[in-house]
């Protein structure tokens, strides 16, 4: 049976619980344990699929097509495991399934209540996600004291009764603010949030304190005394130059040993974090810098392209260059001159997106990069706009567009397929999750991957229109990746260009700090060579 680490948050949100959970996962996996991480989101949405990137940041997609919270991206990058639909639960998901069971009569006429029906369903999902593991880490989203979070906290309290207190660890991530006027750190908010946890029967084993200033031993002793934990169970996390240093910092303070001891697991062996140390060192001290223009439509939200940003950094780490990402609002390129706005860029990345706002700006960026031999990488909507640009300006299909842009005119080089059109009114037309992609030998894509059969994750509705394939290929666009079983175009490139690659899938979702994605790797390498030859 698996053991459990429950991670809660106190005082304020955005404390980095996700990074803490992911880092604990890294450390436990490095100890040879089989671990995974489950995210609990107390909102009423069934999944993150319908959520606006401006409000909620990126939607992370798993191999099995679940549209999840972006924390799952951190988990996969940190623990290097493939997660699934089971790794994400929301209030919406729980209530939908309980109500469905009630309608079916499964509760035999009983009164259906938050306790025990909702809390039982939560526990069943936690148990089911822990099958085959040594340790399941469960991150409870939100802050202790939120109304929405209460059933989840009650469920994790009951878990200790269900599986035994010795198989459960509660780790509370909290804020220790610095008061400028008093020139000191304050422990009261932490005391109060731990009291709140204890009021509902959860006694945290350890506290991870987010703070902007170093905490001395007296401060730790004080928190330990008031919060009823040993002083060594008070750990601090300050803002780091990179999130990839958090596992190293937590290990240095002994958090992993503390967790292992509490769970009765072996903790004596030394663990090797040299690969992470190398990632951090290369991230902080690279000798060179490349400037990448990120031409998107959600650029004001710092997390809207989180996985793309991380994937660029991973490639930078591999090539020992700092990737300086400069956001460019796609709409600005519709008003101003792309030559001026983009002249700084050593590479241009056009990421995914939905709706027609900003697409003409993306097309202008693609044209600029194609004509001036600047490295260009298009992802999903970005690839689609590269195709539209090529159709318009090279093939002279003047009214070429994507179905999303203007359904009324001719030449949708990016369109909905017939079977999708039929399903349109029913909603489910999105291609989600992993699909196989066959690469064409001798192409840049095949070279980058170093193999001919790959699998990549999707989240989109529109597809390259095969009716235009011949025309575009005759004009020089190379189709270098296809999904054979469904006859779909997955990757396009331009031979002879320094780096012109567009992909229909989301390569960023599979990049890791110690193993950058081949296409990001190739793109950043091309940008570095462009920068050196400028
Ligand atoms: N909006 C486009 C589509 O639905 C692209 C989606 C995306 O970039 N994720 O196909």
């Amino acid at each position: 049976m698996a053991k459990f680490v429950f991670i809660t948050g106190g005082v304020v949100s955005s404390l980095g619980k996700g990074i803490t959970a992911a880092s604990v996962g890294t450390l436990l996996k490095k100890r040879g344990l089989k671990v995974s991480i489950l995210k609990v989101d107390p909102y009423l949405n069934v999944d993150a699929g319908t959520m606006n990137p401006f409000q909620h940041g990126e939607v992370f997609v798993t191999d099995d097509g679940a549209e999840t919270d972006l924390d799952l991206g951190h988990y996969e990058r940190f623990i290097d495991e493939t997660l699934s639909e089971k790794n994400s639960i929301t209030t919406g998901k729980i209530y939908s399934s309980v109500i469905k069971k009630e309608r079916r009569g499964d509760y035999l006429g009983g009164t259906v209540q938050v306790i025990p029906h909702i809390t039982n369903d939560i526990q069943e999902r936690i148990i089911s996600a822990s099958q085959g593991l040594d340790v399941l880490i469960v991150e409870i989203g939100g802050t202790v004291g939120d109304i929405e979070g209460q059933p989840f906290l009650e469920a994790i309290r009951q878990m200790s009764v269900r599986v035994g207190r010795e198989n459960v660890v509660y780790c509370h991530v909290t804020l220790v603010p610095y008061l400028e006027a008093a020139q000191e750190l304050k422990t009261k908010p932490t005391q109060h949030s731990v009291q709140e946890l204890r009021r509902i029967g959860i006694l945290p084993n350890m506290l991870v304190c987010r703070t902007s200033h170093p905490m001395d031993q007296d401060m730790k002793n004080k928190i330990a005394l008031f919060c009823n934990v040993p002083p060594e169970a008070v750990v601090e996390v300050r803002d780091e130059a990179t999130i990839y240093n958090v596992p190293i910092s937590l290990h240095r303070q002994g958090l992993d040993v503390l967790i292992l001891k509490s769970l009765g697991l072996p903790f004596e062996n030394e663990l090797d974090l040299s690969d992470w140390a190398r990632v951090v060192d290369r991230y902080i001290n690279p000798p060179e810098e490349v400037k990448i223009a990120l031409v998107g439509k959600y650029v004001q939200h710092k997390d809207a392209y989180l996985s793309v940003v991380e994937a660029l950094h991973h490639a930078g780490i591999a090539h020992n260059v700092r990737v300086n990402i400069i956001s460019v609002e796609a709409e600005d390129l519709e008003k101003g001159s792309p030559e001026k706005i983009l002249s700084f860029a050593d590479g241009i990345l056009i990421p995914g997106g939905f709706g027609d706002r900003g697409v003409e700006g993306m097309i202008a960026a693609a044209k600029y990069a194609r004509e001036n031999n600047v490295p260009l990488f298009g992802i999903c909507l970005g690839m689609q706009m590269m195709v539209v640009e090529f159709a318009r300006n090279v093939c002279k299909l003047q009214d070429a567009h994507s179905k999303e842009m203007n359904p009324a005119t001719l030449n949708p080089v990016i369109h909905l397929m017939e079977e999708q059109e039929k399903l349109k009114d029913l909603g489910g037309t999105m291609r989600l999750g992993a699909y196989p992609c066959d690469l064409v030998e001798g192409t840049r894509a095949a070279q980058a991957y170093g193999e001919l059969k790959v699998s990549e994750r999707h989240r989109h509705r529109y597809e390259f229109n095969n009716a235009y394939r011949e025309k575009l290929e005759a004009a020089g666009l190379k189709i270098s990746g296809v999904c054979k079983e469904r006859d779909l175009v997955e990757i396009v490139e331009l031979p002879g260009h320094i780096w012109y690659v567009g992909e229909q899938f989301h390569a960023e979702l599979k990049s890791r700090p110690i193993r950058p994605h081949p296409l990001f790797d190739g793109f950043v390498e091309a940008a570095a060579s462009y920068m050196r030859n400028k």
Side-chain angles (χ1 to χ4, degrees), residues 13-34:
S13 58
S14 306
L15 280 177
K17 279 195 307 276
I19 302 293
T20 304
S23 301
V24 168
T26 307
L27 295 175
L28 297 187
K29 186 172 173 184
K30 287 263 178 201
R31 298 271 177 178
L33 295 168
K34 193 149 178 26

Side-chain angles (χ1 to χ4, degrees), residues 171-279:
C171 172
H172 191 54
V173 183
T174 171
L175 178 72
V176 178
Y178 183 78
L179 271 201
E180 209 56 61
Q183 302 247 318
E184 60 180 4
L185 290 168
K186 290 292 181 190
T187 64
K188 195 73 79 188
T190 294
Q191 293 178 38
H192 281 171
S193 86
V194 171
Q195 273 168 21
E196 185 66 23
L197 269 181
R198 283 158 58 184
R199 197 177 60 76
I200 53 175
I202 295 177
L203 278 73
N205 301 68
M206 54 201 69
L207 301 170
V208 172
C209 304
R210 280 302 301 270
T211 162
S212 54
H213 289 65
M215 291 163 61
D216 59 21
Q217 196 52 50
D218 284 349
M219 171 87 25
K220 289 185 183 169
N221 293 346
K222 183 175 171 188
I223 293 177
L225 181 66
F226 280 101
C227 299
N228 203 34
V229 297
E232 65 273 17
V234 181
V235 161
E236 75 173 33
V237 174
R238 271 186 284 154
D239 291 342
E240 300 278 357
T242 159
I243 51 173
Y244 299 122
N245 200 39
V246 177
I248 298 174
S249 158
L250 292 179
H251 171 63
R252 209 177 290 133
Q253 298 177 73
L255 187 75
D256 47 339
V257 171
L258 216 63
I259 291 173
L260 293 166
K261 276 188 186 167
S262 309
L263 292 175
L265 292 167
F267 56 88
E268 292 83 6
N269 58 339
E270 249 323 297
L271 97 186
D272 178 13
L273 283 171
S274 54
D275 49 353
W276 283 77
R278 184 169 164 275
V279 162

Side-chain angles (χ1 to χ4, degrees), residues 297-298 351-355 379-385 402 404 414-416 420 430 458-463 504-506 508:
K297 51 193 290 180
Y298 316 115
F354 288 84
I379 296 178
C380 210
L381 180 64
M383 171 269 199
Q384 297 175 350
M385 293 310 115
S402 137
E404 189 160 42
I414 303 296
H415 73 154
L416 277 184
Q420 285 176 299
M430 193 96 98
H458 294 252
R459 180 174 185 250
H460 58 98
R461 192 157 285 129
Y462 301 101
E463 301 282 355
Q504 184 57 82
F505 43 82
H506 287 274
E508 72 274 20

